[in-house]
Amino acid sequence: MDLYVDNSGAVTHGIPGKAEHKVPGVTSGTENNRVRIVRVLRRVGVTALAVTLLAGVGAPGVAGADSMAVPKVAAGQDRPELQEAIQEIVDAGLAGVQLRVHDERGDWVGSAGVRKLGEAAKPPTSGRFRIGSNTKTFTAALVLQLVAEAKIGLDTPAVYYLPKFGLDRRITVRMLLQHTSGLFNFTGEYYDDGTVVPGIPWAGKEWVDNRFHTYRPEELVRFALSNPPRFEPGTDWNYSNTNYVLARLLIEKVTGRSYADEMQRRILRPLGLRDTVVPGTSPEIRGPHAHSYYRYEDAGQWKTVDITRQNPSWISSAGDMISTTEDLHTFFSALLGGRLLPGRLLAEMRKPDPKSGAYGYGLGLMVQDTGPNCSGTILTHNGSVQGSAALMYSTPDGTRTLEASITYVDDVAMSKAQAGKKAIQKLFNVVFCGGQAGLAAEAEPAQTTGSNTLGPVALRADTL
């Protein structure tokens, strides 16, 4: 799920266009679903940034794959400004940070804080972590590969591929990837007037007690469809996790293989992403990793629990993947460098829907303008799950990138939102703005459909 914080403390997560009659890759039926993403995340100044960094529409042409190759980490490279920036994030009350920066000076990796509460060891710089809604960028790229092969039609009604769900025939594949379907977000909906429509349990004692429960993707979709849609297809924009679980089912229906197998065959193996996995129902993070925590109230007592191990099937293909900063860098560089998609589809991916407003949301990517003091257009997504957030930013040509994992005690961290906001904003400014203030933290981007603006990191899983 995407973790984005905006200055007000809220969060948000559609589909225009008409269906074609010719349906590439159809083997049978129709499916309709509506899953929407919870918007409870706090907004921080970094929120506006994330939006600017995500989509990439109107950005300069992307350089070739060779120019975006991952360089070796500069041995002994002295970058005190980066180490200080991540230390400030920890000093703001978060548990640990691992950071990778690529720029004209090469690659720098570092960490700050602790790997595990009560221990002195720092987070491993090569550690694995849950990437939350960065998973959506992987999922969108996989769908678009099938579009490139004419197995899926981008503007074909999704119901042709997934007939059993009875989806609204106006909902196209493009709308799923762009969050304009209007489908209810299965993790809950938050409205401008303060109304909250609960989704599946993903917070509080109920989630903690049942965090190893297995959800089937069809179950998540049917739950979403049992709730009224947020709006008519294509008339608005709203971040909904349901869209990306439908995208998974679409991939499986068209290919006849599992989502995990297709991800491995088409993206992970070709790019050599050995530390990136689709965990399915496995609660494990294998290999070196930092720990995540959750704090909740039970019978008047506050408890802090290590929730690093959890069954991620509750978020599925909308946010379940595990990766490293190095693998995220390799993936994003390959994607933006044209190694995964033909130019016309990469351009579609980087074209924000006007209705997404400050989010600048394209097809699994967000595009942001960081202003004259920074690097111009930035592409991003970012994501989070309970107690863990992942950042992924790049200039369109891949010459400057940032990937990071942040772990914290969820819920407690919310009280640190303002300090954390400033520290993360500073990190972004150091990397992309030469240390100068970039997008003003106080600037409140225009909102759409009551959504919060997306930020580089969410301090809660509400926007997963």
Side-chain angles (χ1 to χ4, degrees), residues 2-4 9-11 39-43 452 458 460 462-463:
D2 301 330
L3 282 184
Y4 298 104
V11 179
R39 315 160 188 174
V40 180
L41 300 191
R42 310 279 182 188
R43 294 182 175 182
N452 302 337
R460 291 196 49 179
D462 313 18
T463 48

Side-chain angles (χ1 to χ4, degrees), residues 243-388:
N243 293 317
Y244 276 77
V245 176
L246 282 171
R248 165 190 176 159
L249 295 173
L250 178 62
I251 291 166
E252 295 180 337
K253 184 63 176 291
V254 169
T255 65
R257 300 183 184 88
S258 72
Y259 168 75
D261 285 348
E262 281 299 284
M263 186 66 72
Q264 184 69 32
R265 188 172 75 91
R266 291 173 170 272
I267 295 178
L268 305 186
R269 189 178 300 122
L271 295 181
L273 306 183
R274 297 180 181 84
D275 293 317
T276 302
V277 298
V278 178
T281 61
S282 172
E284 309 297 336
I285 300 180
R286 303 191 184 281
H289 61 275
H291 287 238
S292 302
Y293 298 87
Y294 192 82
R295 184 172 183 261
Y296 67 101
E297 188 174 11
D298 180 18
Q301 302 254 336
W302 283 95
K303 299 180 178 180
T304 298
V305 179
D306 186 326
I307 45 82
T308 307
R309 296 181 70 252
Q310 60 167 280
N311 183 335
S313 63
W314 68 273
I315 190 59
S316 186
S317 49
D320 67 350
M321 291 179 69
I322 294 169
S323 191
T324 63
T325 59
E326 183 174 9
D327 274 9
L328 284 183
H329 178 79
T330 300
F331 164 72
F332 214 30
S333 295
L335 176 65
L336 301 182
R339 293 175 56 194
L340 296 178
L341 295 172
R344 64 182 180 84
L345 290 177
L346 181 58
E348 291 283 353
M349 200 174 193
R350 294 172 26 161
K351 184 189 303 179
D353 185 276
K355 293 179 288 296
S356 66
Y359 291 89
Y361 207 95
L363 306 180
L365 271 183
M366 285 190 253
V367 183
Q368 300 282 291
D369 180 4
T370 58
N373 295 328
C374 289
S375 302
T377 297
I378 298 289
L379 307 179
T380 184
H381 199 290
N382 297 326
S384 69
V385 292
Q386 300 88 345
S388 175

Side-chain angles (χ1 to χ4, degrees), residues 79 82 99-103 106-109 401-403 431:
R79 302 291 294 271
L82 295 177
L99 171 69
R100 175 177 296 270
V101 170
H102 164 72
D103 57 19
D107 275 16
W108 182 90
V109 295
T401 66
L402 180 161
E403 298 83 26
V431 176

Side-chain angles (χ1 to χ4, degrees), residues 61-270:
V62 176
D66 292 341
S67 67
M68 303 180 74
V70 182
K72 297 295 183 183
V73 176
Q77 189 181 106
D78 186 18
R79 302 291 294 271
E81 74 282 5
L82 295 177
Q83 188 65 49
E84 290 172 8
I86 58 176
Q87 184 61 48
E88 285 192 29
I89 295 174
V90 172
D91 293 343
L94 305 184
V97 181
Q98 54 177 302
L99 171 69
R100 175 177 296 270
V101 170
H102 164 72
D103 57 19
E104 65 280 357
R105 294 172 62 181
D107 275 16
W108 182 90
V109 295
S111 68
V114 296
R115 182 186 73 88
K116 191 174 183 179
L117 295 184
E119 297 183 359
K122 296 167 66 173
T125 56
S126 60
R128 295 184 180 186
F129 50 88
R130 300 187 189 278
I131 67 172
S133 282
N134 284 309
T135 301
K136 291 182 174 69
T137 308
F138 284 82
T139 302
L142 191 48
V143 170
L144 291 173
Q145 286 188 344
L146 295 170
V147 171
E149 297 170 8
K151 294 177 179 177
I152 291 176
L154 190 55
D155 293 306
T156 297
V159 68
Y160 285 119
Y161 305 100
L162 303 171
K164 67 181 180 182
F165 295 115
L167 293 170
D168 189 316
R169 296 178 65 84
R170 294 171 292 177
I171 296 176
T172 63
V173 174
R174 182 192 299 273
M175 293 178 187
L176 297 180
L177 300 183
Q178 206 163 50
H179 294 304
T180 54
S181 68
L183 293 174
F184 180 88
N185 181 12
F186 65 78
T187 51
E189 287 288 3
Y190 295 75
Y191 293 85
D192 289 344
D193 62 1
T195 301
V196 176
V197 180
I200 63 167
W202 57 265
K205 182 179 185 300
E206 183 178 5
W207 174 76
V208 171
D209 290 345
N210 295 281
R211 65 187 182 278
F212 299 110
H213 174 78
T214 292
Y215 287 93
R216 290 176 50 78
E218 294 84 356
E219 180 183 0
L220 299 174
V221 169
R222 293 197 183 283
F223 172 81
L225 293 176
S226 70
N227 290 274
R230 180 101 182 192
F231 48 78
E232 295 294 312
T235 63
D236 210 334
W237 183 89
N238 184 60
Y239 194 89
S240 173
N241 289 309
T242 306
N243 293 317
Y244 276 77
V245 176
L246 282 171
R248 165 190 176 159
L249 295 173
L250 178 62
I251 291 166
E252 295 180 337
K253 184 63 176 291
V254 169
T255 65
R257 300 183 184 88
S258 72
Y259 168 75
D261 285 348
E262 281 299 284
M263 186 66 72
Q264 184 69 32
R265 188 172 75 91
R266 291 173 170 272
I267 295 178
L268 305 186
R269 189 178 300 122

